[in-house]
């Protein structure tokens, strides 16, 4: 598994081809939640009534999601897999977790490096969406979006490999305080499943 | 939960949606060379509305709670949607809990000389701005307690509104705005005959993840009897914590250790850095500002901000950063804290 290093602790690791490779990972601070039900199909009155009925739930779910799947837990989830290999980086790549960037114009549009690293073998993985949705027909799901930017081979303006993953949830949100552990595990499992959906293209 | 009166909401929201926006002229980000020197120098005020370091919050995007109802439904729901304010309140409450050890460690740390010296440093190189006899106005933002919003919040974040970015306003943000407005009013009253006044508003806060100390200077020029400034420019100097944690409490503990030694040094450095950068920013005329903010210039990403580089020196790059979603545009410079 690639080594975990926080930003700033740069101790180059030699990759198999002799170059020191770095994968900089930016988790997201985002945590959106929206619940809609059958009433939303009943015109203006239904939609308004449903928005009112779900307001407390949308607030509490968003807060819970931002907490239970905040940056530190996204990082913890990524640490359980071989992240660098998942996005096609060579073995021995150093995985460096960066503090999140809130400005979406920066995370989703900027094609140059988001760090001050000058490593020749360099790439970035950015989490750009963290959305919980509960729909009347489709049920509960977690949706994540990701961007991979590859600066290897002298690239200075990287192409963005954008993609998403969405998987169902069975335990989140918890019905009782006792259900929190299961709900948290459910969220993080879905997060990894979403990432694996996205990362399948690199295999 | 807030009561939703559907019938009243329909009428109210529709009326609100079609109210014409007040026509406020946007201040220029530069002062033309020919408008700089006045017959009588401008009085210059330093506004210090805070008594202690502020928290900040980052809510990211907030999902719109609508699944149907068309345009009319969206307008009504938007008019009654207080999810952003509730999320802002709870985020602030959590941040205020985290920041407490740092606030206590900085107890008695007076930023007045830091702000005054930085302002004077800028004035010394920008003679046209105004007199070096500074008026220092200290305020005290009241601790907000309304509607669950408790704490000091000096920056407004924005969410995706139905009609463009909408402020995630809460009582704490409103209290800051009212305090600043009162200071502006007092300064204007003190110089009723001045053709123009120069104001430097200083704010300082932790970043939402407590990885940065941020000092924000807003320079504005206001004409006599005008409600809004005709010039406004912002400089942000931030100091980053090396090897930060994703756990907020751990970052705060490092800033707060040894009576806040790291935070005190960071604040001292950040205020001084603004004083270094301001003269070059104030010197920009129309052409200079256009050149400095030209996207074809060399750009850099610094501590999450991105934009064209104004200059590089021993203090690091100074960039022009914009965030349309957050209605943010400022010259930003970043340094690293050293433990």
């Amino acid at each position: 598994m690639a080594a975990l290093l926080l930003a700033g602790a740069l101790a180059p690791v030699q990759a198999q081809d002799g170059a020191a490779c770095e994968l900089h990972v930016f988790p997201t601070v985002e945590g959106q939640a929206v619940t809609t039900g059958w009433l939303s199909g009943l015109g203006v009155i239904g939609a308004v009534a449903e928005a009112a009925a779900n307001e407390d739930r949308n607030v509490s779910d968003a807060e819970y999601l931002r907490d239970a799947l905040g940056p530190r837990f996204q990082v913890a989830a990524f640490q359980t897999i071989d992240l660098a290999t998942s996005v096609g980086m060579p073995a021995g790549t150093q995985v460096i977790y960066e503090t999140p960037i809130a400005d979406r114009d920066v995370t989703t549009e900027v094609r140059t490096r988001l760090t001050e690293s000058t490593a020749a073998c360099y790439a970035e993985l950015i989490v750009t969406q963290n959305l919980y949705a509960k729909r009347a027909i489709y049920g509960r799901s977690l949706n994540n979006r990701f961007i991979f930017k590859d600066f290897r081979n002298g690239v200075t303006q990287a192409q963005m490999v954008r993609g998403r993953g969405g998987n169902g949830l069975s335990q989140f949100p918890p019905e009782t305080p006792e259900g929190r552990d299961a709900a948290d595990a459910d969220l993080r499992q879905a997060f990894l499943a979403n990432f694996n959906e996205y990362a399948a293209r690199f295999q | 939960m807030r009561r939703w009166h559907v019938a009243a909401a329909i009428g109210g929201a529709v009326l609100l949606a079609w109210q014409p926006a007040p026509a406020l002229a946007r201040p220029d980000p530069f002062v033309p060379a020919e408008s700089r020197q006045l017959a009588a120098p401008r009085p210059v005020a330093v506004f210090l509305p805070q008594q202690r370091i502020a928290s900040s919050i980052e809510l990211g995007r907030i999902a719109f709670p609508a699944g149907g109802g068309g345009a009319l439904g969206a307008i009504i729901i938007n008019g009654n949607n207080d999810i952003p304010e509730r999320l802002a309140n709870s985020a602030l409450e959590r941040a205020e809990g985290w920041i407490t050890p740092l606030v206590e460690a900085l107890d008695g740390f007076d930023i007045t000389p830091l702000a005054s010296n930085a302002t004077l440093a800028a004035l010394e190189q920008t003679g046209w701005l105004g007199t070096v006899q500074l008026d220092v106005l200290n305020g005290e933002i009241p601790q907000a307690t309304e509607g669950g919003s408790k704490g000091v919040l000096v920056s407004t974040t924005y969410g995706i509104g139905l009609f463009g970015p909408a402020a995630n306003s809460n009582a704490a943000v409103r209290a800051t705005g009212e305090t600043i407005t009162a200071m502006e009013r007092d300064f204007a009253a003190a110089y009723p005959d001045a053709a123009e006044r120069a104001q430097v508003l200083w704010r300082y806060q932790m970043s939402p993840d407590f990885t940065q100390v941020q000092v924000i200077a807003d320079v504005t020029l206001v004409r006599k009897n005008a409600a809004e400034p005709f010039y406004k420019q912002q400089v942000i100097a931030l100091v980053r914590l090396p090897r930060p944690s994703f756990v907020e409490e751990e970052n705060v503990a490092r800033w707060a250790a040894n009576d806040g030694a790291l935070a005190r040094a960071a604040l001292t450095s950040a205020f001084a850095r603004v004083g270094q950068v301001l003269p070059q920013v104030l010197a920009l005329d129309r052409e200079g500002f256009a050149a400095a903010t030209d996207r074809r210039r060399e750009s850099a990403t610094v501590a999450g901000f991105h934009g064209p580089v104004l200059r590089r020196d021993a203090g690091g790059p100074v960039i022009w950063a914009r965030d349309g979603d957050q209605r943010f545009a400022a010259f930003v410079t970043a340094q690293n804290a050293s433990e």
Side-chain angles (χ1 to χ4, degrees):
Chain A
M1 179 179 296
L4 165 68
L5 281 175
L6 293 177
L10 299 176
V13 172
Q14 292 299 309
Q16 284 180 332
D17 61 0
C21 288
E22 295 176 8
L23 174 63
H24 291 250
V25 182
F26 295 82
T28 181
V29 293
E30 194 168 274
Q32 300 186 84
V34 61
T35 291
T36 56
W38 298 107
L39 284 177
S40 61
L42 300 178
V44 174
I45 301 299
V48 171
E50 187 153 271
N54 289 325
E55 182 176 300
D56 285 353
R57 175 163 289 279
N58 284 333
V59 169
S60 64
D61 288 347
E63 288 177 344
Y64 194 113
L65 183 63
R66 288 168 57 85
D67 187 30
L69 198 53
R72 73 174 85 165
F73 295 108
Q74 295 165 47
V75 169
F78 279 143
Q79 285 180 258
T80 65
I81 62 174
D82 188 343
L83 187 61
T85 304
S86 299
V87 291
M89 297 292 284
T93 293
Q94 195 176 44
V95 179
I96 300 166
Y97 291 98
E98 301 283 352
T99 54
I101 295 176
D103 184 351
R104 288 180 57 79
D105 292 340
V106 174
T107 56
T108 66
E109 303 296 336
V110 173
R111 296 187 179 278
T112 52
R113 298 184 184 208
L114 298 182
T115 78
E116 290 146 51
S117 170
T118 56
C121 181
Y122 176 94
E124 295 173 352
L125 175 67
I126 308 161
V127 185
T128 59
Q129 185 190 54
N130 196 20
L131 167 67
Y132 162 75
K134 183 182 179 186
R135 310 285 188 201
I137 297 175
Y138 302 108
R140 294 174 283 177
S141 65
L142 179 72
N143 299 276
N144 297 106
R145 289 182 182 274
F146 306 90
I147 294 176
F148 179 70
K149 298 196 299 182
D150 192 347
F151 293 89
R152 287 176 290 179
N153 303 317
V155 170
T156 55
Q157 297 272 328
Q159 291 297 311
M160 296 199 181
V161 183
R162 302 170 193 264
R164 63 172 296 278
N167 276 273
L169 294 165
S170 58
Q171 305 295 321
F172 178 88
E175 298 290 335
T176 64
E178 291 73 29
R180 291 184 67 101
D181 287 348
D184 292 355
D186 192 26
L187 269 180
R188 291 159 200 170
Q189 192 174 25
F191 176 74
L192 279 183
N194 290 347
F195 174 72
N196 287 332
E197 271 185 27
Y198 163 75
R201 74 193 65 197
F202 298 104
Q203 307 310 311
Chain B
M1 187 183 117
R2 177 180 177 159
R3 290 187 176 184
W4 290 55
H5 301 283
V6 174
I10 291 175
V14 171
L15 278 174
L16 279 173
W18 269 277
Q19 277 184 348
L24 295 175
R26 180 175 291 186
D28 286 329
F30 55 84
V31 183
E34 63 274 16
S35 305
R36 293 179 177 177
Q37 209 73 46
L38 299 180
R42 300 176 185 87
V44 180
V46 170
F47 291 168
L48 304 173
Q50 296 170 241
Q51 290 294 305
R52 58 116 162 141
I53 194 164
S55 302
S56 65
I57 59 174
E58 172 53 58
L59 299 178
R61 292 179 296 174
I62 299 170
F64 190 70
L72 182 57
I75 291 170
I76 295 167
I77 292 167
N78 185 62
N80 289 277
N81 181 17
D82 57 3
I83 290 176
E85 178 157 352
R86 292 177 63 181
L87 290 175
N89 287 346
S90 60
L92 177 59
E93 189 173 345
R94 296 187 69 189
E96 287 287 289
W98 287 322
I99 203 174
T100 298
L102 180 59
V103 171
E104 291 172 355
L106 291 177
D107 186 33
F109 184 68
D110 185 8
I111 55 101
T112 304
L114 303 180
S116 299
N117 290 340
T119 307
L120 284 172
L123 273 170
E124 282 170 6
Q125 295 183 56
T126 316
W128 59 265
L129 187 64
T131 173
V132 293
Q133 302 296 319
L134 296 181
D135 279 41
V136 179
L137 280 72
N138 287 95
E140 183 166 4
I141 299 167
Q143 189 86 354
T145 55
E146 169 200 324
S149 171
K150 299 180 178 67
V152 177
L153 194 58
V154 297
S155 296
T156 305
T157 60
Y158 290 81
I160 304 169
L162 191 60
F163 305 102
N168 299 318
S169 185
N170 66 1
V173 164
R174 289 190 287 273
T176 297
E178 288 163 8
T179 301
I180 294 168
T181 299
M183 299 175 97
E184 291 171 339
R185 200 167 46 233
D186 290 348
F187 184 46
Y191 295 93
D193 299 325
E196 294 180 8
R197 304 180 303 279
Q199 306 171 155
V200 187
L201 166 65
W202 292 90
R203 293 172 287 160
Y204 62 115
Q205 64 183 16
M206 299 304 297
S207 63
D209 55 8
F210 297 93
T211 62
Q212 300 171 5
V213 166
Q214 301 174 338
V215 170
I216 307 163
D218 293 283
V219 181
T220 50
L221 298 181
V222 189
R223 292 196 177 95
K224 184 179 177 181
N225 297 327
E228 297 294 322
F230 68 89
Y231 167 81
K232 181 174 184 179
Q233 195 53 267
Q234 186 175 80
V235 175
I236 300 175
L238 55 91
V239 179
R240 293 175 286 193
L241 188 66
R243 298 177 302 281
S245 168
F246 289 106
V247 181
E248 291 84 352
E249 298 95 317
E250 293 178 4
N251 293 332
V252 172
R254 289 174 62 193
W255 290 114
N258 301 319
D259 284 333
L262 200 59
R264 290 168 192 252
L267 285 167
T268 303
S269 174
F271 274 99
R273 180 64 173 156
V274 175
Q276 289 173 0
V277 172
L278 265 178
Q280 189 171 358
V281 171
L282 290 166
L284 297 172
D285 56 12
R286 181 186 299 272
E287 293 74 23
F289 181 77
T293 58
D294 190 332
R295 290 186 175 207
R296 290 168 295 185
R297 285 171 75 99
E298 174 207 0
S299 66
T301 303
V302 177
F305 298 93
H306 178 86
V309 176
L310 176 69
R311 78 178 199 194
R312 287 182 187 273
D313 59 21
V318 179
I319 64 169
W320 167 250
R322 288 183 64 90
D323 182 348
D325 295 340
Q326 294 301 314
R327 297 190 171 181
F328 165 88
F331 288 96
V332 178
T333 177
Q335 298 169 289
N336 294 322
S338 56
E339 288 176 292

